[in-house]
Amino acid sequence: MSVILAALTSDPNLLRCELHRLEGQVLLHGEPRANAVGVGAYAQEEVLLRRFSSSAALTVDSLAPPHESEALLFHAGQLPVGLSLEENTQPFRSRRWLFAHQGGGQGLEPVRASLLESLPDHLRRQVRGGTAGELLFAVFLKNLRELGRTDDPRLEPEVAGRVLAETAREVARAAAQAGAARAPTLNLVATNGTLLAATRFGELPLSCTRLEGTAECELCEVTPTTPETQPAVSAHRRRRTVVVASHLKRSAGWVELAHGHTLAVGPDLQLNELSGP
């Protein structure tokens, strides 16, 4: 099963430190082993993607970008034979948006054509690969476009969260109308570098936590005895980071999203949980 890890932090200079804190808490590997791994992050106005053919050698520390970044989105999954790594590896990107999907895509095959037909031409042309995730991303962008909020830097996290949840419900309704025996699993995560939204739709777990600031950091050699006059001490005390993960090594301090619930997080890093239609 595919793996998702996402983070939104208050201090882009300390994203590397925050990922280091997760090393003993999250897993980057599912079963079967991934053959398509991607990680997206932000470098000021740019969105940068890295892709790998295996997650075997990756650690949480190694996901840190070589530059400051407010957000990060990681996905590791199994691509069917014949699908290219370049076109089908999540997360997918469109302008400032990064998007990832966890769950089986087979249940969406009966509605792929109708979902594509519902897209405006420019989004339909963006669906170049054969995965469900890319199609789901296009549906999400379509719904944002209908609100006129696709590139809105002031987009409220709750609005993004509700659009993400409606995307899952729209696709589930289409699958049910097509006679699917069971609802597809649609765990979806999206970020534009300023906000983070995650929705759980199905039986696969999706959990979140908020890392609070401390005056300790192994990477920066900040310890309880480091003088308070050092700028690194106050920076590490102020840092906060919200993390969403599908695979945990330990669950202490994490909250599992309920089926049908959505997490919406903005720059204030408050955990806003939305439920229902």
Side-chain angles (χ1 to χ4, degrees):
M1 184 52 64
S2 61
V3 178
I4 283 178
L5 176 67
L8 182 69
T9 187
S10 63
D11 191 335
N13 292 296
L14 299 183
L15 178 61
R16 181 175 67 105
C17 307
E18 298 298 77
L19 291 172
H20 184 70
R21 296 168 76 185
L22 295 171
E23 191 65 60
Q25 300 187 47
V26 299
L27 289 166
L28 301 182
H29 313 288
E31 292 296 337
R33 283 283 183 167
N35 63 6
V37 180
V39 56
Y42 294 81
Q44 296 181 348
E45 296 305 312
E46 292 188 72
V47 184
L48 304 179
L49 289 173
R50 291 178 287 158
R51 294 188 174 98
F52 311 90
S53 58
S54 171
S55 62
L58 293 178
T59 63
V60 180
D61 280 330
S62 72
L63 301 185
H67 44 75
E68 64 180 42
S69 180
E70 300 89 344
L72 177 140
L73 181 53
F74 166 86
H75 182 277
Q78 187 77 19
L79 284 182
V81 176
L83 292 186
S84 73
L85 188 73
E86 185 66 26
E87 290 187 343
N88 295 282
T89 299
Q90 301 188 62
F92 295 109
R93 175 207 168 187
S94 180
R95 298 188 183 183
R96 292 284 296 175
W97 284 101
L98 289 169
F99 180 97
H101 159 241
Q102 182 201 25
Q106 297 84 358
L108 299 182
E109 283 307 314
V111 297
R112 183 176 180 86
S114 63
L115 290 176
L116 281 170
E117 186 62 29
S118 73
L119 300 174
D121 289 343
H122 77 283
L123 288 176
R124 192 181 306 127
R125 289 193 296 269
Q126 286 184 26
V127 182
R128 296 185 293 269
T131 64
E134 189 178 28
L135 179 55
L136 292 166
F137 187 23
V139 175
F140 170 69
L141 293 173
K142 177 200 71 171
N143 291 337
L144 272 180
R145 180 177 181 268
E146 290 175 352
L147 296 178
R149 310 295 300 275
T150 308
D151 299 315
D152 187 350
R154 296 179 298 277
L155 178 66
E156 301 88 347
E158 293 82 6
V159 173
R162 295 201 182 281
V163 171
L164 193 67
E166 176 53 32
T167 298
R169 288 192 292 267
E170 177 182 344
V171 174
R173 287 194 300 267
Q177 290 167 4
R182 54 186 301 183
T185 296
L186 299 168
N187 286 353
L188 310 178
V189 179
T191 179
N192 63 1
T194 302
L195 59 84
L196 175 65
T199 191
R200 177 187 176 186
F201 197 94
E203 72 277 4
L204 294 178
L206 198 61
S207 302
C208 65
T209 192
R210 190 170 82 161
L211 304 177
E212 302 292 346
T214 67
E216 294 183 54
C217 178
E218 183 180 8
L219 293 182
C220 298
E221 298 182 348
V222 175
T223 71
T225 61
T226 303
E228 294 285 338
T229 54
Q230 294 293 323
V233 174
S234 58
H236 282 77
R237 285 192 190 279
R238 291 193 304 268
R239 62 180 171 165
R240 291 173 297 153
T241 300
V242 172
V243 185
V244 173
S246 60
H247 288 61
L248 303 179
K249 289 183 179 178
R250 59 180 179 83
S251 58
W254 291 78
V255 176
E256 184 175 319
L257 286 178
H259 166 66
H261 284 222
T262 298
L263 179 72
V265 183
D268 61 1
L269 296 180
Q270 296 301 309
L271 300 175
N272 302 303
E273 190 169 345
L274 314 174
S275 61

